């Protein structure tokens, strides 16, 4: 059989172009204009970008976004990695439990946020404490809710990667007397290095674009303690109707996410991998 014809990629290319590339180009264009959503955008040069750099909220929001990204990565990676490796085995009832673990992935971010907002209500929720009213409580709630929803997705990634590890490696390690924990740290983790990179890039990009969870759970509060960059973009666009400034924030997020992704890929050597099987 010959190689697939390029025409088979056309639907995906068109979808990506119209729903990703075109909106990004329009947002970048609007970042150099002043527009309230009505009439024609008026060019203002670099005024919106200068406003972004001079905004006193930028430093705080950027710091909160970084903390959220790091905390989300640690939480989701540790739990998803352990669950993924476990789900790749042949334990009893593994398939049933794996299916249960993946249920949160089927729910929308809005539905999940509303669910936990009700559960964390200090008057009617399961925790009789104003968790969302404190800075640490609100931050940890966002990290937990995001992890609860997306850990199943990353678990699926690690499950696929773990199943590609040659069993002969574990058999040889067992003959040499290596226990389960030694095998995990000496075989499983090194063999999953590229899978970890893939998952990390997705977590970083996802954390930088967090929005629904913050909007519904905390609305950027208490005060502005959880006002991440996407939330500032929402306020600029849909509260003050300054879509030019909102587009500048959106463009900054795209550039930051792209830059971080490229750095991660370069630092981990992911781009040099040529094998179609993990670790081979």
């Amino acid at each position: 059989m010959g190689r697939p014809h390029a025409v088979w990629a056309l639907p995906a290319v068109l979808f990506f172009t119209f729903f990703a590339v075109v909106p990004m180009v329009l947002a970048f264009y609007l970042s150099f204009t002043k527009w309230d959503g009505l009439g024609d955008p008026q060019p203002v040069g670099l005024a919106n970008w200068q406003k972004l750099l001079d905004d006193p909220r930028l430093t705080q929001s950027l710091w909160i976004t970084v903390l959220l990204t790091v905390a989300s990565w640690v939480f989701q990676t540790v739990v998803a990695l352990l669950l993924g490796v476990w789900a790749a085995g042949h334990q009893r009832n593994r398939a049933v439990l794996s299916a249960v673990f993946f249920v949160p992935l089927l729910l929308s971010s809005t539905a999940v946020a509303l669910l936990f907002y009700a559960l964390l209500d200090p008057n009617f929720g399961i925790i009789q404490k104003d968790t969302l009213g404190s800075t640490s409580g609100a931050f940890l709630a966002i990290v937990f809710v995001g992890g609860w929803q997306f850990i199943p997705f990353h678990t699926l990634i690690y499950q696929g990667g773990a199943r590609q590890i040659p069993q002969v490696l574990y058999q040889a390690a067992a003959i040499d007397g290596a226990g389960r924990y030694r095998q995990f740290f000496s075989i499983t983790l090194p063999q999953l290095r590229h899978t970890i990179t893939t998952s990390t890039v997705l977590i970083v990009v996802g954390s930088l674009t967090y929005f629904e969870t913050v909007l519904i759970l905390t609305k950027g509060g208490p005060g502005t303690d959880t006002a991440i960059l996407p939330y500032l973009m929402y306020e600029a666009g849909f509260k003050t109707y300054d879509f030019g400034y909102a587009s500048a924030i959106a463009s900054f997020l795209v550039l930051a996410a792209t830059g971080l992704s490229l750095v991660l890929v370069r630092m981990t050597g992911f781009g040099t991998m040529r094998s179609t099987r993990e670790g081979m």
Side-chain angles (χ1 to χ4, degrees), residues 8 39 42 64 80-81 83 87 93 100 128 151 161 163 200 205:
W8 293 106
Q42 302 299 319
I64 296 171
L81 177 60
L83 284 177
N93 298 324
V100 174
Q128 299 300 312
I151 279 175
R163 285 182 173 175
T200 297
V205 174

Side-chain angles (χ1 to χ4, degrees), residues 57-73 139 142-143 203-210 214 224-233 249 252-253 256-257 260:
R57 300 175 301 172
L58 176 63
T59 303
Q60 181 192 24
S61 295
L62 190 59
W63 174 244
I64 296 171
T65 304
V66 170
L67 286 179
L68 178 64
T69 301
V70 173
S72 297
W73 179 82
F139 181 83
I142 294 172
V143 173
I203 292 174
V204 168
V205 174
S207 298
L208 288 175
T209 56
Y210 250 29
V214 175
T224 58
D225 290 339
T226 57
I228 56 177
L229 285 174
Y231 188 78
L232 289 186
M233 178 183 66
I249 300 176
F252 175 78
L253 283 170
L260 283 175

Side-chain angles (χ1 to χ4, degrees), residues 127-239:
I127 301 178
Q128 299 300 312
K129 182 180 179 181
D130 190 7
T131 304
L132 300 178
S134 65
T135 301
S136 59
F139 181 83
L140 292 176
I142 294 172
V143 173
F144 177 81
V145 172
W148 186 83
Q149 181 181 9
F150 293 109
I151 279 175
F153 174 73
H154 296 280
T155 297
L156 191 61
I157 295 177
Y158 286 117
Q159 182 187 36
R163 285 182 173 175
Q164 294 299 316
I165 300 176
Q167 291 300 310
V168 66
L169 297 178
Y170 295 105
Q171 295 169 0
I175 293 176
D176 290 338
R180 180 177 300 177
Y181 295 103
R182 182 61 182 274
Q183 291 180 21
F184 177 80
F185 288 103
S186 299
I187 298 177
T188 305
L189 277 182
Q191 290 290 309
L192 290 177
R193 61 189 183 277
H194 296 305
T195 304
I196 294 174
T197 301
T198 301
S199 175
T200 297
V201 171
L202 294 174
I203 292 174
V204 168
V205 174
S207 298
L208 288 175
T209 56
Y210 250 29
F211 174 68
E212 303 100 320
T213 304
V214 175
L215 176 65
I216 295 174
L217 281 183
T218 68
K219 295 181 175 61
T224 58
D225 290 339
T226 57
I228 56 177
L229 285 174
Y231 188 78
L232 289 186
M233 178 183 66
Y234 161 77
E235 286 190 325
F238 296 98
K239 286 191 175 182

Side-chain angles (χ1 to χ4, degrees), residues 28-35 42-55 58 242-249:
F28 190 70
Y29 163 73
L30 288 175
S31 69
F32 297 100
T33 67
K34 181 175 180 59
W35 189 45
Q42 302 299 319
V44 293
L46 296 174
N48 289 320
W49 290 91
Q50 186 63 47
K51 180 180 178 181
L52 177 62
L53 296 176
D54 295 337
D55 194 336
L58 176 63
D242 190 351
F243 289 101
Y245 183 49
S247 298
I249 300 176

